[in-house]
Amino acid sequence: MWRCGLLIFFCLALGACSRDAEPPSDRDAVTIGVIAPFRGPNAIKGREAFNGIDMEVRAEPELRNGRKLHVVYQHSLHDPVQAVAALRKLAADPRVLAVVSFVDSDSMLAMAPVAEQLGVPVLVGTATNPLIVQGRHYVTQLIYDDNFQGAVAALFTRDDLLLERVAVLSNPRNTYSRFLGEEYARKFASVGGEVVDTVSVYERGFSIEAALERLRDLNPQLLYLPLPAQRVIDIAEVLDSMNWKPRLLVPDGVLLVLVREFDRRLRLVDGIIGTDIFSPKESMSPRDLFSRRYSLIRDTKPDEVNTYSVLGIESILLLRSALNRCIDTGLDRQCVRGSIRNTRNLVGVIGPIDITPEGRAIRPLVVNMINGGRIVYRVRVH
């Protein structure tokens, strides 16, 4: 039933995304802005983030002083120009005390200096490049960064899978893909593994077949693929036609997109492994915060939630905590900025959230895999 409600919302909301964010109906409301893709190839991020945000605001709609939380949304594809325009639009409204972003690393790298210039706190929900917060005061990551994710992926390959030879396929024109590929390769080599090749996977003018035929002669045991889900499926199809079955490892969010959007071709990626922030089967007892909150509003099961809805929930949990700590000293952007950075041991969906003074989140990471068309939990790394 809740999925019907969500569909109705998006039928209305997508038409509204192109116009200015609606002002709160309650003059005393405290407003948070959200920038996310609500249509296009990455719309799953926006849809699922909204799901989590909406659920959390409805579960606890007020600050401790009784003022209501109000959320306004701006659409942006994974496009730096659109993302910056959306940020400027939200920042122009003085009632918006903070912004949450669910855009890619390239877009967030463009937004970060603008956030500093405008003095608006931005909580980064999905972009993982470590340079996003480097030297920043107003930009804070809610998710772990790619230094951590790339290193954990490499150590898991070497220590848990006990593999010695890998190849890395990444897109050098995409900051997220390039950085993760480089970090994974660096860490894997540092612990005694051999990176037999690094392959540049371009969006156009690139032959997957030729690249994989050449790679097979080098005999890697695993392919690390910091690439979009569509590209992963393309590679899996070629591997299947070659009757070559190396292990496949992907970064955060890719398994979810594979399961949601490529269900008819999941047999091609059965057994694929992915690093992520959340596993639908890990620690989901009725006592958990997430299970309790979700059951308040949604008639659903824990395994129907996912990485992006969890990050939506946690963005509101963190911002509500920051706003509550600013009530006595004044609810303004400067206080909220400092309060976000002072988050320590906040109870999140999948464990405590700590933010360093530099704006980096200290979070656990999980390793999942696709087994029989479902995402299943493998291990958790702190």
Side-chain angles (χ1 to χ4, degrees), residues 12 14 63 66 68 80 104 111 123 132 135 137 161 194 212 216-217 225 227 262 269 274 284 292 333 360 363:
L12 297 173
L14 293 185
L63 301 182
K68 292 183 178 180
D104 65 329
M111 289 168 61
L123 185 61
I132 289 167
H137 300 284
L161 298 180
E194 180 185 359
L212 292 179
R216 181 161 60 175
D217 293 337
L225 308 174
L227 297 166
F262 297 93
V269 289
M284 290 300 291
R292 288 203 314 273
R333 291 176 178 177
R360 303 186 190 279
R363 309 297 309 275

Side-chain angles (χ1 to χ4, degrees), residues 148-349:
F148 180 60
Q149 179 174 203
V152 168
L155 291 171
F156 178 80
T157 304
R158 193 77 176 95
D159 298 338
D160 288 69
L161 298 180
L162 302 177
L163 303 181
E164 299 177 350
R165 295 165 58 82
V166 304
V168 177
L169 289 81
S170 61
N171 182 355
R173 294 174 181 166
N174 179 276
T175 300
Y176 171 78
S177 181
R178 182 184 69 250
F179 191 98
L180 255 183
E182 291 172 350
E183 181 59 23
Y184 175 88
R186 184 197 67 78
K187 188 64 177 180
F188 190 75
S190 76
V191 293
E194 180 185 359
V195 181
V196 301
D197 200 3
T198 56
V199 179
S200 296
V201 180
Y202 296 103
E203 295 177 4
R204 295 180 178 83
F206 172 78
S207 171
I208 293 175
E209 293 84 356
L212 292 179
E213 285 288 355
R214 182 172 58 84
L215 266 184
R216 181 161 60 175
D217 293 337
L218 301 175
N219 195 31
Q221 299 161 297
L222 177 143
L223 307 182
Y224 183 56
L225 308 174
L227 297 166
Q230 178 65 65
R231 217 50 164 150
V232 172
I233 282 288
D234 294 341
I235 289 169
E237 285 184 330
V238 176
L239 290 172
D240 184 62
S241 70
M242 296 169 63
N243 197 30
W244 182 30
K245 302 184 184 302
R247 303 294 296 269
L248 303 179
L249 176 59
V250 295
D252 58 288
V254 175
L255 295 188
L256 173 64
V257 181
L258 289 172
V259 169
R260 289 289 184 88
E261 299 185 0
F262 297 93
D263 57 305
R264 295 185 179 181
R265 291 187 279 175
L266 279 180
R267 68 166 188 85
L268 297 169
V269 289
D270 197 60
I272 190 172
I273 304 163
T275 51
D276 218 319
I277 199 168
F278 173 74
S279 177
K281 287 295 186 182
E282 187 222 9
S283 301
M284 290 300 291
S285 72
R287 296 184 61 188
D288 288 339
L289 171 70
F290 186 63
S291 296
R292 288 203 314 273
R293 288 196 178 280
Y294 211 76
S295 66
L296 289 174
I297 298 174
R298 310 296 194 197
D299 180 18
T300 189
K301 299 175 182 178
D303 62 358
E304 291 182 320
V305 297
N306 56 71
T307 296
Y308 299 127
S309 56
V310 163
L311 289 168
I313 291 168
E314 290 194 330
S315 67
I316 299 302
L317 284 171
L318 192 150
L319 288 179
R320 186 193 292 111
S321 173
L323 290 163
N324 276 332
R325 282 177 276 135
C326 284
I327 286 173
D328 295 333
T329 56
L331 279 168
D332 57 38
R333 291 176 178 177
Q334 183 63 27
C335 180
V336 173
R337 180 206 67 82
S339 189
I340 290 171
R341 290 286 179 97
N342 286 325
T343 298
R344 303 290 183 273
N345 202 33
L346 176 69
V347 177
V349 173

Side-chain angles (χ1 to χ4, degrees), residues 348-367:
V349 173
I350 51 173
I353 302 172
D354 288 286
I355 304 296
T356 70
E358 296 77 29
R360 303 186 190 279
I362 301 175
R363 309 297 309 275
L365 176 150
V366 297
V367 179

Side-chain angles (χ1 to χ4, degrees), residues 4 19 45 47 83 103 135 200 212 221-222:
C4 294
R19 65 174 185 260
K45 287 187 180 182
R47 292 196 305 265
V103 298
S200 296
L212 292 179
Q221 299 161 297
L222 177 143

